[in-house]
Amino acid sequence: DQYLINTYDFSNDDIVFISSKGHFFKKYITMLLNSQVDYSQDASFPLLCDNLPFVNGQLVRDDLPNTSNGPHCYCNPKMISSSTGISKFLSLLHLDSSSSLYTKITSLSLNQQIDILNKFCGRFQYDGELSGASAIDPIFWIIHGPVEKLYHKIVFDNLLSDSTYVDKKEYCSGHKADSVKIWSQGFYFEDATINVHELSNTQLAAIFNPSTIEYGRYVNYVYDHSNWDSICGIQ
């Protein structure tokens, strides 16, 4: 980030935009993990990676990204070797062609544009479904408890007509009913024999229903009230 600021005069807003593109990495790294296709020969595929930490859903290495044995990602040279390919790459980031950042990038020489994109591709963001730009805001880290507390109240007050997780779209990476959270490998429920990263969104939604007997097999707590009297003396 500092390199982009110092070398290309990127603003903090530019860096925030780049940091918000976790969906880009989740989509294409997931495709790399789950496919036998050699995407290096596909000029329409933007991202390539070496030493990815998962093979067939199993963690095979835990080295830090961009270390000698760790995962390393880079832009597909076949895509970003031309102005046309770079425009296509930027469109995959949902970067509006009328934005100042788009103009800032495309007004540079081809080699400079390639340098910027390679810095982006090397970030190796493979974060959780609720991350991306959200995690930049400190409030992000304190809202989850209250949201979960309200969810428990909704469940116990029978305000949900149906708690089954379903999806309405044909394709929505990471959010489909049968999508799994491969990044959750290493997270354990109370029953440590359960492979969390193999569970679908539908299965996880059922597990996190606090009104079921099975809930205690996975989670060791439940909210017994929805008031806030004990927080900072607020009445």
Side-chain angles (χ1 to χ4, degrees):
D1 293 350
Q2 198 60 49
Y3 175 84
L4 294 174
I5 292 172
N6 294 339
T7 307
Y8 297 108
D9 196 30
F10 272 41
S11 66
N12 287 332
D13 286 343
D14 295 336
I15 298 301
V16 168
F17 175 85
I18 292 173
S19 299
S20 72
K21 297 305 167 183
H23 67 83
F24 173 88
F25 290 88
K26 283 192 283 285
K27 176 179 179 179
Y28 291 106
I29 291 179
T30 299
M31 292 174 70
L32 290 169
L33 286 168
N34 297 327
S35 175
Q36 304 300 316
V37 176
D38 179 9
Y39 285 111
S40 65
Q41 303 304 312
D42 184 353
S44 66
F45 196 85
L47 188 71
L48 301 175
C49 298
D50 298 325
N51 299 329
L52 285 172
F54 296 98
V55 174
N56 297 325
Q58 299 299 311
L59 185 67
V60 295
R61 62 175 59 84
D62 56 5
D63 301 88
L64 292 174
N66 300 318
T67 57
S68 58
N69 295 315
H72 170 66
C73 293
Y74 50 96
C75 300
N76 187 345
K78 288 186 176 295
M79 170 173 267
I80 65 168
S81 59
S82 68
S83 297
T84 300
I86 288 177
S87 295
K88 175 62 176 177
F89 186 99
L90 295 176
S91 71
L92 295 177
L93 296 181
H94 303 296
L95 181 56
D96 193 326
S97 61
S98 64
S99 69
S100 60
L101 180 55
Y102 186 97
T103 301
K104 182 181 297 184
I105 294 174
T106 55
S107 64
L108 298 170
S109 71
L110 180 61
N111 285 339
Q112 289 174 317
Q113 292 180 57
I114 291 173
D115 183 38
I116 289 173
L117 295 186
N118 276 324
K119 291 295 184 295
F120 171 79
C121 290
R123 294 172 67 87
F124 193 79
Q125 289 182 227
Y126 192 58
D127 44 24
E129 295 299 337
L130 295 179
S131 297
S134 304
I136 297 173
D137 188 341
I139 295 176
F140 170 85
W141 299 103
I142 62 175
I143 63 173
H144 293 78
V147 169
E148 184 179 40
K149 191 173 190 177
L150 290 174
Y151 175 67
H152 281 202
K153 176 176 174 55
I154 289 172
V155 171
F156 290 131
D157 286 354
N158 296 315
L159 298 179
L160 289 178
S161 59
D162 186 355
S163 61
T164 305
Y165 190 107
V166 296
D167 53 72
K168 301 291 186 181
K169 298 181 179 179
E170 181 179 349
Y171 178 77
C172 185
S173 178
H175 300 276
K176 288 180 62 65
D178 59 357
S179 292
V180 297
K181 303 290 183 284
I182 193 169
W183 47 264
S184 66
Q185 183 155 353
F187 176 85
Y188 298 100
F189 286 127
E190 286 296 287
D191 183 346
T193 65
I194 298 170
N195 293 320
V196 180
H197 65 285
E198 296 178 355
L199 299 175
S200 68
N201 284 325
T202 296
Q203 292 171 312
L204 287 171
I207 285 171
F208 289 127
N209 184 337
S211 67
T212 65
I213 295 176
E214 281 286 284
Y215 179 80
R217 181 185 174 197
Y218 304 97
V219 185
N220 63 2
Y221 65 89
V222 65
Y223 294 97
D224 61 354
H225 63 81
S226 60
N227 63 61
W228 308 93
D229 294 349
S230 60
I231 299 179
C232 302
I234 297 175
Q235 300 297 320

